[in-house]
Amino acid sequence: MTPTRTTLTTYGIKCQGCASAARAALADLPGVETVAFDLPGKTATVTHDADVQRTHMARTLTQAGFPSE
């Protein structure tokens, strides 16, 4: 299966420590392969299986303390 890439807008991720915590939260989701953050651009790019829902990823980040959409 070909991985899918999704870009989420993130708020509150201002340093590498925050990015590490947010990355760990997303990495716990089954099907998530990689997570990369653009701190100045306030985005997270997630490579994942096609069955991982964008809303689920955004909710996971929000629950981890980093509001996302």
Side-chain angles (χ1 to χ4, degrees):
M1 184 184 302
T2 303
T4 300
R5 261 196 198 138
T6 299
T7 300
L8 301 166
T9 302
T10 60
Y11 305 96
I13 300 174
K14 298 178 181 177
C15 67
Q16 289 303 320
C18 294
S20 291
R23 186 176 292 110
L26 286 171
D28 283 345
L29 294 176
V32 170
E33 295 178 14
T34 63
V35 182
F37 290 96
D38 173 5
L39 299 181
K42 298 182 181 179
T43 61
T45 301
V46 185
T47 304
H48 56 89
D49 294 342
D51 59 340
V52 180
Q53 299 295 313
R54 175 188 187 88
T55 55
H56 193 177
M57 291 184 283
R59 185 175 37 242
T60 296
L61 283 175
T62 299
Q63 289 173 344
F66 308 104
S68 215
E69 54 186 46

